[in-house]
């Protein structure tokens, strides 16, 4: 008679990345984990020392182009590193912050105008300056109400950004405004510029990301801080498309850890004289959670393979967009299932589950709201069908 199969690791495909992340950044992540519960409850951002420590250990520069002072890791390697960081680190602000620094540094380096890259990329890579994206206005995302007025030798910036993740610690902001001709412009604003004001903002989740409002009141902007003068809209679309590729990586790793924690809890909890993990309905729930995470990994890794091969549309890629949408929906499902399986323990026995629920909810609007992405993908599908119909029409 055969016995039960030997236990196997759930995430065998990640052994190589897990070893790399544990070896290079395990101590750093453990240091962040030490006070994450207290910081989250208080709404305190990552400690200031983190930026320099992440840079000194090579984490910030891992995916920055080599010519910009980075290590030049490709999209797939970077995504998997972020996923493993999410698996080990209980603070979602870590994968968010390092991916944002790499993203902004890369966007500045690849822009046509060289002055912002020369001035701001080196301190970002070295961890002596933190950058944040100031984009959201609770309005039309491609027609900002923030205005940039030309003054002869420079510009004056006036407007309000309603939610800027990372603003509490940021030294510089990549932001977008409409110029005198109504065109969108990408530019850099410094925290200490005249007329720049930070304010409090409510946030469902990601409370350690340091979210703030950002107001510009006749803020002077030198001409050499303009990142994209002619096609700020294209610059924004490229940046957001790239963000969709990495936004869910850390949370996916965190959801894997949540499933494992949930399984351990059910194995150590007795109901009706049996471990909770032996009840078929509980096993079924854990199985559904595992299926959701494996499917999410497969979808996300397919998007990374597409980016790695250079086949992504930089402005709007349907596979990348579908991956972000699909992964977020699976993470919401897994988090919901953990509450259903664990009952009261998830509500008041362990704060990790509540943090995960709030943070995953925030992902609904990250790098494009889920409903908006559905509409955009529907438009792509309709356009593709019309194109196919015209090709098939013999007339």
């Amino acid at each position: 008679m055969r016995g039960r199969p030997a236990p196997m690791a759930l995430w065998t495909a990640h052994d190589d990345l897990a070893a790399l992340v544990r070896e290079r950044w395990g101590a750093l992540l453990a240091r962040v984990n030490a006070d994450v519960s207290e910081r989250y409850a208080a709404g305190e951002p990552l400690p200031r020392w983190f930026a320099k420590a992440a840079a000194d250990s090579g984490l910030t520069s891992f995916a920055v182009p080599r010519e910009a002072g980075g290590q030049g890791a490709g999209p797939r390697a970077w995504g998997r590193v972020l996923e493993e960081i999410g698996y080990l680190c209980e603070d979602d602000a870590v994968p968010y912050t390092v991916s944002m620094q790499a993203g902004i540094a890369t966007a500045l380096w690849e822009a046509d105008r060289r002055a912002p890259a020369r001035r701001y990329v080196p301190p970002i890579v070295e961890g002596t300056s933190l950058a944040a994206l100031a984009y959201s206005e609770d309005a039309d995302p491609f027609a900002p109400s923030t205005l940039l007025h030309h003054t002869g030798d420079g510009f004056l910036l006036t407007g309000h950004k309603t939610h800027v993740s990372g603003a509490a610690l940021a030294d510089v902001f990549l932001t977008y405004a409409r110029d005198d001709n109504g065109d969108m412009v990408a530019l850099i604003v410094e925290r200490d510029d005249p007329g720049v004001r930070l304010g409090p903002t409510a946030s469902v989740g990601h409370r350690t990301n340091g979210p703030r409002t950002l107001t510009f009141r006749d803020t002077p902007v030198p001409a050499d801080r303009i990142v994209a003068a002619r096609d700020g809209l294209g610059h924004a679309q490229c940046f957001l498309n790239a963000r969709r590729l990495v936004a869910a990586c850390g949370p996916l790793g965190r959801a894997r850890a949540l499933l494992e924690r949930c399984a351990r809890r059910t194995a150590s909890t007795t109901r009706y004289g049996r471990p909770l993990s032996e009840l078929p309905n509980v096993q079924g729930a854990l199985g559904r959670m595992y299926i959701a995470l494996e499917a999410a990994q497969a979808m996300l890794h397919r998007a990374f393979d597409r980016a790695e091969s250079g086949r992504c549309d930089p402005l709007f890629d349907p596979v990348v967009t579908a991956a972000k949408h699909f992964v977020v929906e699976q993470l919401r499902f897994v988090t919901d299932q953990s509450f259903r399986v664990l009952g009261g323990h998830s509500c008041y026995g362990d704060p990790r589950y509540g943090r995960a629920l709030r943070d995953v909810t925030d992902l609904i609007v990250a790098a494009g709201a889920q409903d908006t992405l559905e509409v955009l993908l529907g438009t792509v599908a309709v356009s593709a069908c019309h194109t196919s119909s015209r090709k098939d029409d013999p007339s």
Side-chain angles (χ1 to χ4, degrees):
M1 179 179 179
R2 291 185 176 180
R4 291 185 177 181
M8 62 175 291
L10 282 177
W11 321 109
T12 54
H14 291 264
D15 289 346
D16 55 339
L17 256 298
L20 172 68
V21 173
R22 286 179 187 275
E23 178 182 349
R24 294 186 64 174
W25 302 298
L28 173 63
L29 301 179
R31 188 178 175 191
V32 172
N33 285 343
D35 63 348
V36 63
S37 293
E38 293 80 4
R39 286 189 293 103
Y40 198 98
E44 296 178 358
L46 280 168
R48 186 70 198 193
W49 56 259
F50 174 80
K52 193 66 170 67
D56 290 346
S57 64
L59 180 54
T60 304
S61 64
F62 190 75
V64 175
R66 292 184 184 276
E67 57 271 23
Q71 301 169 60
R76 182 175 177 83
W78 182 225
R80 293 185 66 194
V81 162
L82 292 172
E83 184 182 337
E84 292 302 323
I85 288 174
Y87 176 74
L88 293 176
C89 187
E90 297 177 9
D91 191 341
D92 260 5
V94 169
Y96 175 88
T97 299
V98 296
S99 64
M100 183 59 74
Q101 303 315 297
I104 291 180
T106 301
L108 293 179
W109 188 259
E110 294 178 348
D112 292 336
R113 299 200 170 196
R114 304 308 304 157
R118 288 193 296 267
R119 179 170 180 176
Y120 295 107
V121 170
I124 292 173
V125 173
E126 294 163 5
T128 57
S129 178
L130 279 174
L133 174 69
Y135 190 81
S136 299
E137 295 186 355
D138 284 345
D140 185 339
F142 299 124
S145 59
T146 299
L147 301 177
L148 187 69
H149 176 62
H150 195 274
T151 60
D153 59 347
F155 302 86
L156 286 179
L157 182 68
T158 300
H160 180 72
K161 304 296 182 179
T162 55
H163 189 95
V164 181
S165 291
L169 296 178
D171 302 291
V172 298
F173 302 92
L174 171 62
T175 192
Y176 297 84
R178 281 189 297 122
D179 66 10
D180 296 328
N181 298 318
D183 296 325
M184 187 185 291
V185 176
L187 64 149
I188 291 291
V189 176
E190 297 183 5
R191 183 190 191 92
D192 296 330
D193 284 339
V196 173
R197 298 289 183 272
L198 296 176
T201 180
S203 182
V204 172
H206 294 110
R207 296 176 181 177
T208 55
N209 271 0
R212 298 289 187 272
T213 63
L214 184 62
T215 301
F216 312 114
R217 296 176 181 171
D218 291 329
T219 298
V221 179
D224 62 2
R225 297 233 210 116
I226 301 300
V227 177
R230 295 184 179 276
D231 188 18
L233 176 59
H235 189 275
Q237 288 178 306
C238 287
F239 189 88
L240 293 174
N241 192 57
R243 283 302 297 170
R244 291 186 192 114
L245 194 59
V246 298
C249 294
L252 176 57
R254 188 176 175 193
R256 288 166 43 208
L258 195 75
L259 169 57
E260 293 180 4
R261 184 173 293 110
C262 191
R264 288 193 296 269
R265 175 67 185 181
T266 61
S268 63
T269 302
T270 301
R271 294 291 185 271
Y272 313 111
R274 301 168 59 188
L276 198 60
S277 58
E278 292 186 4
L279 300 181
N281 62 316
V282 172
Q283 293 174 341
L286 295 174
R288 289 189 293 273
M289 293 165 72
Y290 178 71
I291 292 169
L293 292 179
E294 282 289 343
Q297 280 185 333
M299 184 72 173
L300 188 59
H301 292 177
R302 183 195 171 204
F304 279 120
D305 287 342
R306 181 177 174 87
E308 193 82 23
S309 66
R311 292 182 290 120
C312 274
D313 185 327
L315 293 176
F316 178 82
D317 190 84
V319 175
V320 168
T321 303
K324 183 269 175 178
H325 183 283
F326 183 77
V327 172
V328 169
E329 293 304 308
Q330 304 318 301
L331 300 185
R332 294 175 65 196
F333 171 78
V334 167
T335 307
D336 176 77
Q337 287 292 110
S338 70
F339 275 78
R340 293 176 181 274
V341 168
L342 298 181
H345 177 75
S346 58
C347 293
Y348 49 74
D350 187 335
R352 295 179 181 90
Y353 296 96
R355 291 202 302 267
L357 179 64
R358 289 188 290 270
D359 292 349
V360 166
T361 301
D362 256 10
L363 292 176
I364 294 174
V365 299
Q370 296 290 88
D371 284 5
T372 301
L373 300 185
E374 291 171 0
V375 172
L376 293 173
L377 290 170
T379 302
V380 170
V382 170
S383 176
C385 288
H386 286 172
T387 300
S388 177
S389 298
R390 287 195 296 270
K391 290 181 178 179
D392 294 339
D393 187 353
S395 62

